Amino acid sequence: RPSRDAPLRAAGGASAMAELLMQADGRSDREVSESALLFLQAEMLRSFRGRLGPEAATARLHAVGFATGMRLATRLGAVRPPIAVERGAMRYICKEIWSFLFRKPADRLQTDRKGNYIIQDQKFRWLEHMSPAPPSDASGKLGSAAISGAAEAQIREVAMLQLSLPCGLIRGALLAIGVESTVCAEVSVATMPACSFIVTLKTVEDVKEPIAV
């Protein structure tokens, strides 16, 4: 789990990401900004993973996403009315925040038996470049052999690192509109770029002290 001072250490990366997200006006600007953002994310992932290892890199990327989500939702919130109920907050994330970040709303929002919210995206933009190509034989023709277990595990590890940043984005955006939560991701290499985000909202009893941001 990210430490409480991680968002402060990640402020530089979050500031750069927030500016990339907010500076684009038209569609062409958004495409350029998205390309720059994905490049920045890839560089952070490579650097953090190489220097810190997967677990610490996940926490650091989550912290960058958290700080970025706080900044983004605060700036976007200047033009929207207050959100009073948790369901409204989740719909805001799935429609407004998702459309701003990924150029389309989330595909589905549902709850599980434990009361967690599950955001489903069947074609998550930030995983499209990672989807494994169908295997082929020496002649270049498509084959039926599955990718190796080691390769699948490596792809999944990188995918989960990639998703730690949007997990932080969701958590930060929710906190900016007054809802504290924990967020984790689920992904299968076989169905990428589809993925899900599990959002657990905290009750008043769960919040023992404020989070430093």
Side-chain angles (χ1 to χ4, degrees):
R1 181 177 175 175
S3 62
R4 293 188 182 277
D5 63 341
L8 296 175
R9 298 196 306 269
S15 178
M17 283 201 156
E19 287 306 312
L20 283 171
L21 288 168
M22 298 300 298
Q23 69 185 6
D25 295 322
R27 178 174 179 178
S28 60
D29 289 340
R30 285 303 305 270
E31 289 173 351
V32 170
S33 293
E34 183 178 52
S35 297
L37 186 146
L38 290 175
F39 176 78
L40 175 61
Q41 181 187 17
E43 285 298 300
M44 287 193 298
L45 189 154
R46 180 187 61 80
S47 175
F48 292 162
R49 187 187 185 201
R51 291 189 296 109
L52 306 173
E55 185 175 348
T58 295
R60 188 67 63 85
L61 286 165
H62 184 106
V64 171
F66 175 80
T68 304
M70 285 279 290
R71 291 167 183 254
L72 176 64
T74 299
R75 293 176 71 172
L76 292 178
V79 295
R80 63 157 176 80
I83 298 174
V85 296
E86 66 177 38
R87 185 79 179 182
M90 293 304 304
R91 286 174 177 165
Y92 176 73
I93 295 294
C94 291
K95 184 177 180 181
E96 304 299 331
I97 297 293
W98 224 262
S99 295
F100 187 89
L101 289 172
F102 311 120
R103 295 198 277 175
K104 72 177 187 68
D107 292 307
R108 189 177 184 186
L109 173 66
Q110 64 185 57
T111 55
D112 62 17
R113 294 180 179 178
K114 297 180 179 180
N116 301 318
Y117 286 92
I118 302 173
I119 303 171
Q120 296 180 346
D121 193 317
Q122 299 302 320
K123 196 174 182 181
F124 191 63
R125 290 185 63 83
W126 291 4
L127 288 182
E128 287 180 349
H129 67 289
M130 291 187 57
S131 301
S136 60
D137 58 25
S139 67
K141 296 180 180 180
L142 295 180
S144 58
I147 61 175
S148 69
E152 181 174 350
Q154 185 175 23
I155 292 172
R156 188 177 187 281
E157 177 185 301
V158 175
M160 291 301 292
L161 275 170
Q162 191 94 348
L163 292 173
S164 60
L165 194 143
C167 282
L169 277 165
I170 296 167
R171 179 171 160 254
L174 281 170
L175 188 58
I177 57 180
V179 179
E180 187 161 1
S181 65
T182 58
V183 184
C184 62
E186 287 187 353
V187 66
S188 169
V189 173
T191 58
M192 283 199 327
C195 65
S196 299
F197 297 90
I198 297 88
V199 182
T200 303
L201 303 185
K202 293 188 177 182
T203 64
V204 175
E205 290 75 17
D206 293 329
V207 182
K208 301 190 183 299
E209 57 182 279
I211 292 180
V213 295

